């Protein structure tokens, strides 16, 4: 073999080796699931941090007001919880979980993970260091691979593998756990990996509007004690800027619109200090779940007193119970400005009662439009009766919308439903300054027992406050 032949062979070998390396690398790349960042949306609901979540998973999730044994969770459905203050959860017990908590005490910058995990949990989620995992530190951020058993009830639990990330800043700590269930679920693994990579401290903090009470007779507003100062002021004058236009037309039904999200109670700090649970028994249909070993989140429903002279503000994070009096800003259609008003949701009517109300309305008005309305399969109608107390002589229109507990469009089992409601009002009359006779009905998916009603004027902006009511028909 001459030198030319040897050179040719060497070149061919080098080319073959390069091809093999390229194929190997490409093969590895192809096996890694690709993540489209456009499919994710930013979350800034927890003050001091921000992160992204899968848009479709978040938008189609069922929003719940609490995490407890009283909720009938399904292991295959995706749920979302956020109190706007210190806890965000997005989870599917069969696939993945994203948990973000402000105010944790892992202190991984100075504490060994194994030691930190013995004494601290994330709202009842306890962690163990994954096999061969090493703590990684970058600036004020610490990351380590962990395993965790997430327990909601003694029949609803699962084992998760993923990353625990802490951010320590100015004496405060934020923690994210992003985990998956199945090692072959490439979609979930790629999703939680991407979400964990977006977790960071944020200078811009989205803080919910402070709650307040209003003495209806005196027209004074008092902020909640959680606000840093006690404020009492007159609200007889409009408290919002002039609306963009004056509306004088009579409106017979409400229209759909995009709605934003907002808080309530902190998860008990005792969960952070309780003892680490013992290893759970394997291969059992049920486990013995103690209260301090379960994933829990306190209800975000606002607590109010039954007082006929007090109205309460509300947000999507602190909704009012049926029967209480809510504060809202509505448009005075005569002067084109917003003004305070008070609304009391009296009763939620089931399908049979709603049909009776519609029949009475049609008998009084001769309008047969609602009896001919087609109700989609798998749905039924429900209604709300309410009364309004105005702060001026003008009985402006009140817009009622059906929403999810996140304040967005209602979704049930992942399917979206219209926010539209339909007025079936009786002749209005005034009794002790309250205008009575208001009724509206709406379409609800069968099986849906929790939803929200948003009550406001027909023109809204960032400064106006609607009244939010939580409805539970279980």
């Amino acid at each position: 073999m001459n030198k030319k032949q040897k050179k040719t062979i060497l070149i061919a070998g080098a080319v073959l080796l390069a091809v093999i390396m390229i194929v190997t690398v490409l093969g590895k790349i192809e096996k890694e699931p690709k993540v489209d960042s456009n499919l994710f949306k930013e979350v800034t609901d927890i003050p001091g941090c921000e992160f992204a979540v899968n848009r479709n998973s978040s938008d189609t999730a069922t929003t719940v007001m609490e995490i407890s044994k009283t909720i009938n969770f399904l292991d295959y459905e995706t749920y979302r919880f956020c109190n706007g203050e210190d806890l965000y959860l997005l989870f599917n017990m069969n696939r993945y979980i994203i948990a973000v908590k402000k105010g944790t005490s892992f202190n991984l910058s100075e504490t060994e993970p194994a030691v930190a995990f013995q004494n601290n949990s994330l709202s009842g989620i306890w962690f163990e260091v994954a096999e061969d995992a090493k703590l990684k530190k970058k600036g004020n951020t610490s990351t380590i691979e962990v395993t965790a058993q997430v327990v909601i009830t003694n029949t609803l639990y699962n084992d998760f593998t993923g990353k625990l990330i802490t951010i320590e800043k100015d004496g405060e700590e934020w923690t994210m756990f992003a985990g998956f269930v199945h090692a072959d679920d490439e979609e979930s693994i790629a999703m939680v990996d991407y979400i964990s990579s977006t977790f960071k401290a944020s200078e811009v903090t989205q803080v919910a509007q402070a709650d307040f009470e209003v003495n209806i007779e005196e027209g004074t507003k008092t902020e909640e004690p959680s606000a840093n100062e006690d404020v009492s002021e007159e609200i007889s004058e409009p408290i919002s800027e002039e609306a963009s236009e004056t509306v004088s037309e009579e409106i017979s039904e409400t229209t759909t619109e995009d709605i934003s999200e907002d808080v309530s109670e902190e998860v008990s700090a005792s969960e952070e200090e309780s003892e680490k649970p013992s290893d759970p028994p394997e291969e059992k249909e049920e486990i013995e779940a103690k209260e301090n070993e379960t994933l829990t989140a306190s209800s975000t429903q606002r607590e109010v007193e039954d007082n006929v002279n007090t109205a309460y503000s509300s947000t999507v994070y602190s909704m009012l119970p049926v029967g209480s009096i809510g504060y809202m800003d509505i448009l005075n259609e005569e002067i084109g400005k917003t003004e305070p008003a008070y609304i009391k949701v009296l009763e939620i009517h089931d399908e049979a009662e709603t049909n009776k109300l519609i029949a009475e309305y049609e008998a009084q008005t001769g309008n047969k439009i609602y009896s001919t309305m087609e109700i989609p399969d798998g749905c039924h109608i429900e209604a709300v009766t309410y009364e309004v107390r105005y702060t001026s002589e003008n009985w402006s229109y009140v817009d009622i919308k059906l929403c999810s507990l996140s304040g967005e469009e209602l979704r049930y089992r992942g399917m979206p439903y219209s926010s539209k409601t339909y007025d079936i009002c009786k002749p209005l009359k005034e009794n002790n300054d309250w205008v009575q006779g208001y009724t509206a009905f709406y379409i609800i998916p069968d099986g849906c027992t929790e939803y929200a009603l948003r009550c406001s004027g027909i023109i809204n902006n960032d400064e106006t406050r609607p009244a939010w009511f939580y409805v539970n028909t279980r």
Side-chain angles (χ1 to χ4, degrees), residues 157-389:
Y157 62 96
N158 218 331
D159 296 318
F160 292 81
T161 300
K163 293 180 181 178
L164 185 136
I165 308 161
T166 64
I167 299 173
E168 299 175 52
K169 182 180 179 182
D170 299 331
E172 188 69 89
E173 182 178 277
W174 294 260
T175 298
M176 168 185 279
F177 172 54
F180 58 90
V181 175
H182 303 292
D184 58 352
D185 185 355
E186 295 185 354
E187 181 180 355
S188 293
I189 294 172
M191 183 184 76
V192 300
D193 279 349
Y194 181 80
I195 291 174
S196 63
S197 72
T198 66
F199 184 49
K200 61 182 179 180
S202 174
E203 296 296 334
V204 180
T205 59
Q206 177 178 317
V207 181
Q209 294 172 300
D211 284 325
F212 55 83
E213 301 175 7
V214 178
N215 184 305
I216 297 175
E217 298 299 330
E218 298 177 1
T220 55
K221 179 177 71 173
T222 304
E223 289 191 356
E224 292 292 277
S226 58
N228 292 328
E229 57 182 350
D230 293 331
V231 178
S232 182
E233 60 180 284
E234 294 291 331
I235 61 166
S236 56
E237 294 297 322
I239 62 173
S240 302
E241 294 182 355
E242 183 169 349
S244 60
E245 63 182 273
T246 300
V247 179
S248 60
E249 294 183 4
E250 181 178 352
I251 301 175
S252 62
E253 63 183 46
T254 61
T255 56
T256 59
E257 67 178 18
D258 291 331
I259 304 170
S260 59
E261 322 174 291
D262 287 310
V263 158
S264 196
E265 304 169 1
E266 278 190 330
V267 176
S268 173
S270 63
E271 293 175 352
E272 301 293 333
E273 300 170 356
S274 55
E275 294 294 325
K276 180 181 178 182
S278 57
D279 292 334
E282 298 179 357
E283 298 181 357
K284 288 187 178 181
E285 292 185 359
E286 296 190 5
I287 63 172
E288 189 175 338
K290 297 180 181 179
E291 195 65 34
N292 64 349
E293 299 173 4
T294 61
L295 172 59
T296 56
S298 299
S299 173
T300 59
Q301 179 174 305
R302 185 164 186 201
E303 295 184 3
V304 300
E305 295 182 4
D306 186 11
N307 189 328
V308 296
N309 293 322
T310 303
Y312 297 88
S313 68
S314 52
T315 69
V316 293
Y317 297 137
S318 58
M319 294 186 183
L320 298 169
V322 171
S324 59
I325 302 174
Y327 170 95
M328 61 181 175
D329 293 316
I330 64 171
L331 177 71
N332 184 319
E333 298 156 14
E334 290 187 351
I335 63 176
K337 292 184 178 181
T338 55
E339 62 187 15
Y342 312 109
I343 180 170
K344 183 174 184 179
V345 171
L346 302 173
E347 188 176 359
I348 302 298
H349 302 274
D350 62 20
E351 183 177 17
E353 294 169 340
T354 302
N355 282 323
K356 184 178 179 180
L357 290 170
I358 291 175
E360 292 174 352
Y361 168 79
E362 292 183 344
Q364 293 171 354
T365 64
N367 187 345
K368 303 292 185 181
I369 185 173
Y370 295 140
S371 61
T372 60
M373 179 182 295
E374 184 175 349
I375 307 301
D377 291 340
C379 296
H380 64 279
I381 54 176
E382 294 180 10
V384 56
T385 54
Y386 59 96
E387 56 187 28
V388 180
R389 181 164 174 165

Side-chain angles (χ1 to χ4, degrees), residues 42 56 72 74 84 95 101 105 152 233 256 309 324 414:
E42 187 178 64
N56 183 63
N72 184 28
L74 301 174
R95 298 191 63 189
K101 181 79 165 67
S105 304
I152 295 180
E233 60 180 284
T256 59
N309 293 322
S324 59

